[in-house]
Amino acid sequence: MTAELVRGQNHTLPQTRLEIRVSAGTPVVAGATLGDERGTVRGVGWIAHPGSPQLPGLEVSQQAAADHRLAVDLEALPAGAHRVTVLLALPVGAGGPARFGAVPAPFVAVTGLDGAEIATFTLTGLDAESAVSALELYRRQDAWKVRAVGQGYAGGLAEMLADQGVAEATGLAGSIQEAVTRGLARSVAPPPRPQGGDRVWHATGSADHRPPAPPPAPGPPEPLTDPATAPQPQTAPGPAAAGPAAGPINYAHPRRQHAAPPSPPPTAPPAQPGQAAQPVAGDATGWSMDERLYNQIWGMFEDLARAVAAYRSAVDFAESRMDQELDRALSDPRNRIGGAGDRAREAARAKRDELTSRAREALDRDLAQLAAEAAVVEPALPAAYAGWGNPVWHAHRVPMEIPMALRIGDLHLPERTDLRVPLLVRLPLERGIWVDSGRTASEAAAVMDTDRLRALAMETAVAHAARLLAVYPPGEFSVHVIDPAGAAAGALAPLVDAGVLAGPPAAGAGGVASVLAHLTRRVDLVQMAVRAGAADSLPPDLDTGEQLLVVNDFPHGFDDRAVTQLRYLADEGPAVGVHLLMVADREEASAYGPVLDPLWRSLLRITPVADSHLADPWVGHAWTYEPLAVPPGSRVLEQVLAAVAAARRAAGR
């Protein structure tokens, strides 16, 4: 039976391997400190936080997120550790709330590895506090207990760490927040959070076991932080994923919404006894087939992240258990000589191999189901979600309304590289895109010729611009290009020849200044009109459609004023329909120093070659990003741009 704790109440823990689940309703930083018998933290080596997420027996999330899972093995804690304190803090500088009184009350649950709740605590009564000690696990007479704490700190993370006796608490708090900022910049955003309450509900077998959530409301999704709003629970280490509870992926997981849409989604034929249900395209909830496919893809993304996290955690547990068994067996000097030690080693390794094998079997079963789902989903995707090789592009017609999202690449994990998940970004874009043309961007880039890499980066940007033009209604999306030295003439040829650019590519310092002044004026005018509630007072010559600025070879051709304008467009533009698509090598802009750091963080970084730099918003795996490539010899890009130009002429644009 679950113990619902109030502040100050404690409860005995029946086991030592646990998960601590946090649901906050807004992105928070989760960490934990280890304390001795007096509760004193002996140093930074006893603190688990996003910049250093693992300690013996303890693992926390690597990013700020609305939902977390912290893994705890009380028997594996360092000697002398008698207390584990779970800390929550609001991220600084992420554009979110600055005090817990402005957000829903965080909910914390201590669970077993099977997900069964042991004790829960809702942190009510917080106001000006921006950090809080949520609960603590402590040892009392050889037994472990959990106590609800709920102690808040208006001084934030630094004050909370100082209260636990941490030296240099201010500096450590700053480094933690910096690690969080870096994590937000490399993570991709999930779809909007379901409107069914702030607590995360975990399905136990079917959708009927969880309160229903309605489809997402119309309008823009949560901000791409990449994302400040990305939930990313951690999977507890242990053999649970490999044990009897492990089985086929449950398609009714928390992120797949099951409110009844106006028209029912497709249903799979009944499964034969002993067989998994056959997946179908569009089995998620939504108001349209496109929305159902969008939600289904994000469900597949989350399923794959969690399945691999469970496998990796099980493998880590098997290795840790083997090490502990060997340490215990060989701590007796008599076992170090003769056959006893050899037998102990063989037994420990055999147990490790057994646990690892069971975990791999469970993972392979889950991956097979996801592969089957991907095989039916990919052919059913609309053009905006499809790769260039999908036949849907050959029959593409420019739509009359904006799609929910756009595919900008694929993601995969090393456990199965052929199982790829489309990377979708919501439309309208909520942050700009940076195509990294630097040779230090990835291992694949390091072995490429510099000129070829830059050309490939610009070709990637042109392909993304073409996709955006193709999925917007005629005349509602314009593309401007800055190419200071004219070095991208070859890559830009498809856009120029089709006549779909807003004007010729701007070259030289004068061209750079002219385009930036034009777009900066547009942002200023639209912002003023929106704030004044006078949208009808905009100049008649102002293009109110979405604008994309493609910048090649930054920072060449940019003076200090131009750099300031570009930063302004990156920060303020997306809210009023002006977006950046930059092709740049960060090393070449290093002369600006930290001045450009906010610019890089504000953009979603992608690469023209495969690179493992993006993180999922649930677990934080490093995913390999694969850019979308036009099939060799295909004319699909030219055909699509010709269709865009024809649709514009027909619409009189």
Side-chain angles (χ1 to χ4, degrees), residues 456-486:
L456 190 59
M458 194 60 193
E459 290 170 6
T460 301
V462 167
H464 288 314
R467 292 175 72 88
L468 285 163
L469 285 165
V471 301
Y472 268 80
E476 293 190 17
F477 194 88
S478 299
V479 177
H480 308 260
V481 176
I482 289 179
D483 184 21

Coordinates of all heavy atoms in Angstrom, one line a residue, residues 456-486:
L456 N 28.7 20.8 -48.9 CA 27.6 19.9 -48.4 C 26.7 20.5 -47.4 O 25.5 20.3 -47.4 CB 28.3 18.6 -47.8 CG 27.4 17.4 -47.5 CD1 26.7 17.0 -48.8 CD2 28.2 16.3 -46.9
A457 N 27.3 21.4 -46.5 CA 26.5 22.1 -45.5 C 25.5 23.0 -46.2 O 24.3 23.1 -45.8 CB 27.4 22.8 -44.5
M458 N 25.9 23.7 -47.2 CA 25.0 24.6 -47.9 C 24.0 23.9 -48.7 O 22.8 24.3 -48.7 CB 25.8 25.5 -48.8 CG 25.0 26.7 -49.3 SD 24.4 27.8 -48.0 CE 23.2 28.8 -48.8
E459 N 24.3 22.8 -49.3 CA 23.3 21.9 -50.0 C 22.3 21.4 -49.0 O 21.1 21.4 -49.3 CB 24.0 20.7 -50.6 CG 24.9 21.1 -51.8 CD 25.8 20.0 -52.3 OE1 25.6 18.9 -51.8 OE2 26.6 20.2 -53.2
T460 N 22.7 21.1 -47.8 CA 21.8 20.7 -46.7 C 20.8 21.8 -46.4 O 19.6 21.6 -46.3 CB 22.5 20.2 -45.5 OG1 23.4 19.2 -45.8 CG2 21.5 19.8 -44.4
A461 N 21.3 23.0 -46.3 CA 20.5 24.2 -46.0 C 19.5 24.4 -47.1 O 18.3 24.8 -46.9 CB 21.3 25.4 -45.7
V462 N 19.9 24.3 -48.3 CA 19.1 24.6 -49.5 C 17.9 23.5 -49.5 O 16.8 23.9 -49.8 CB 19.9 24.5 -50.8 CG1 19.0 24.4 -52.0 CG2 20.8 25.7 -50.9
A463 N 18.3 22.3 -49.2 CA 17.2 21.2 -49.2 C 16.2 21.5 -48.1 O 15.0 21.3 -48.3 CB 17.9 19.9 -48.9
H464 N 16.6 22.0 -46.9 CA 15.7 22.3 -45.9 C 14.8 23.5 -46.3 O 13.6 23.6 -46.0 CB 16.4 22.6 -44.6 CG 17.0 21.4 -43.9 ND1 16.3 20.3 -43.7 CD2 18.2 21.2 -43.3 CE1 17.0 19.4 -43.1 NE2 18.2 19.9 -42.9
A465 N 15.4 24.5 -46.9 CA 14.6 25.7 -47.4 C 13.6 25.2 -48.4 O 12.5 25.7 -48.4 CB 15.6 26.7 -48.0
A466 N 14.0 24.3 -49.3 CA 13.1 23.8 -50.3 C 11.9 23.1 -49.7 O 10.7 23.2 -50.1 CB 13.8 22.9 -51.3
R467 N 12.2 22.3 -48.6 CA 11.1 21.6 -47.9 C 10.1 22.5 -47.3 O 8.9 22.3 -47.3 CB 11.7 20.6 -46.9 CG 12.5 19.4 -47.5 CD 13.1 18.6 -46.4 NE 12.1 17.8 -45.6 CZ 11.7 16.6 -46.0 NH1 12.2 16.0 -47.1 NH2 10.8 16.0 -45.3
L468 N 10.7 23.6 -46.7 CA 9.8 24.6 -46.1 C 8.9 25.3 -47.1 O 7.7 25.5 -46.9 CB 10.6 25.6 -45.3 CG 11.2 25.1 -44.0 CD1 12.3 26.0 -43.5 CD2 10.1 25.0 -42.9
L469 N 9.5 25.7 -48.2 CA 8.7 26.3 -49.3 C 7.6 25.3 -49.8 O 6.5 25.8 -50.1 CB 9.7 26.7 -50.4 CG 10.5 27.9 -50.2 CD1 11.6 28.0 -51.3 CD2 9.7 29.2 -50.3
A470 N 7.9 24.0 -49.8 CA 7.0 23.1 -50.4 C 5.8 22.8 -49.5 O 4.8 22.4 -50.0 CB 7.7 21.8 -50.8
V471 N 6.0 23.0 -48.2 CA 4.9 22.6 -47.3 C 4.1 23.8 -46.8 O 3.1 23.6 -46.1 CB 5.4 21.8 -46.1 CG1 6.2 20.6 -46.5 CG2 6.3 22.7 -45.2
Y472 N 4.4 25.0 -47.2 CA 3.6 26.2 -46.9 C 2.7 26.5 -48.1 O 3.1 26.3 -49.2 CB 4.5 27.3 -46.6 CG 4.9 27.5 -45.1 CD1 5.9 26.7 -44.6 CD2 4.2 28.4 -44.3 CE1 6.2 26.8 -43.2 CE2 4.6 28.5 -43.0 CZ 5.5 27.8 -42.4 OH 5.9 27.9 -41.1
P473 N 1.6 27.1 -47.8 CA 0.7 27.5 -48.9 C 1.4 28.6 -49.7 O 2.3 29.3 -49.3 CB -0.5 28.1 -48.1 CG -0.5 27.4 -46.8 CD 0.9 27.2 -46.5
P474 N 1.0 28.7 -51.0 CA 1.6 29.7 -51.9 C 1.7 31.1 -51.3 O 0.6 31.6 -50.8 CB 0.8 29.6 -53.2 CG 0.1 28.3 -53.1 CD -0.1 28.0 -51.7
G475 N 2.8 31.7 -51.3 CA 3.0 33.1 -50.9 C 3.0 33.3 -49.4 O 3.2 34.4 -48.9
E476 N 2.9 32.2 -48.6 CA 3.0 32.4 -47.1 C 4.3 32.1 -46.5 O 4.5 32.1 -45.3 CB 1.9 31.5 -46.5 CG 0.5 31.9 -46.8 CD -0.5 31.2 -45.9 OE1 -0.2 30.6 -44.9 OE2 -1.7 31.2 -46.3
F477 N 5.3 31.9 -47.4 CA 6.7 31.6 -46.9 C 7.7 32.2 -47.9 O 7.6 31.8 -49.1 CB 6.9 30.1 -46.6 CG 8.1 29.8 -45.8 CD1 8.0 29.7 -44.5 CD2 9.4 29.6 -46.4 CE1 9.1 29.4 -43.7 CE2 10.5 29.3 -45.7 CZ 10.4 29.2 -44.3
S478 N 8.6 33.0 -47.4 CA 9.6 33.7 -48.2 C 11.0 33.3 -47.8 O 11.2 33.2 -46.5 CB 9.4 35.2 -48.3 OG 8.1 35.5 -48.8
V479 N 11.9 33.2 -48.7 CA 13.3 32.8 -48.4 C 14.2 33.9 -48.8 O 14.2 34.3 -50.0 CB 13.7 31.5 -49.0 CG1 15.1 31.2 -48.7 CG2 12.8 30.4 -48.5
H480 N 15.0 34.4 -47.9 CA 16.0 35.4 -48.2 C 17.4 34.7 -48.0 O 17.5 33.9 -47.2 CB 16.0 36.6 -47.3 CG 14.6 37.3 -47.2 ND1 14.3 38.4 -48.0 CD2 13.5 36.9 -46.6 CE1 13.0 38.7 -47.7 NE2 12.5 37.8 -46.9
V481 N 18.4 35.1 -48.8 CA 19.7 34.5 -48.7 C 20.8 35.6 -48.6 O 20.7 36.6 -49.3 CB 20.0 33.6 -50.0 CG1 21.4 33.1 -49.9 CG2 19.0 32.5 -50.1
I482 N 21.7 35.3 -47.6 CA 22.9 36.2 -47.5 C 24.1 35.3 -47.8 O 24.3 34.3 -47.2 CB 23.0 36.8 -46.1 CG1 22.0 37.8 -45.9 CG2 24.4 37.3 -45.9 CD1 22.0 38.5 -44.5
D483 N 24.8 35.6 -48.9 CA 26.0 34.9 -49.3 C 27.1 35.9 -49.6 O 27.3 36.3 -50.8 CB 25.7 34.0 -50.6 CG 26.9 33.2 -51.0 OD1 27.7 32.9 -50.1 OD2 26.9 32.7 -52.2
P484 N 27.8 36.4 -48.6 CA 28.6 37.6 -48.7 C 29.6 37.5 -49.8 O 29.9 38.4 -50.5 CB 29.3 37.7 -47.3 CG 28.4 37.0 -46.4 CD 27.7 35.9 -47.2
A485 N 30.3 36.3 -50.0 CA 31.3 36.2 -51.0 C 30.9 35.5 -52.3 O 31.7 35.3 -53.2 CB 32.5 35.4 -50.4
G486 N 29.6 35.2 -52.3 CA 29.1 34.5 -53.5 C 29.6 33.1 -53.7 O 29.6 32.5 -54.8

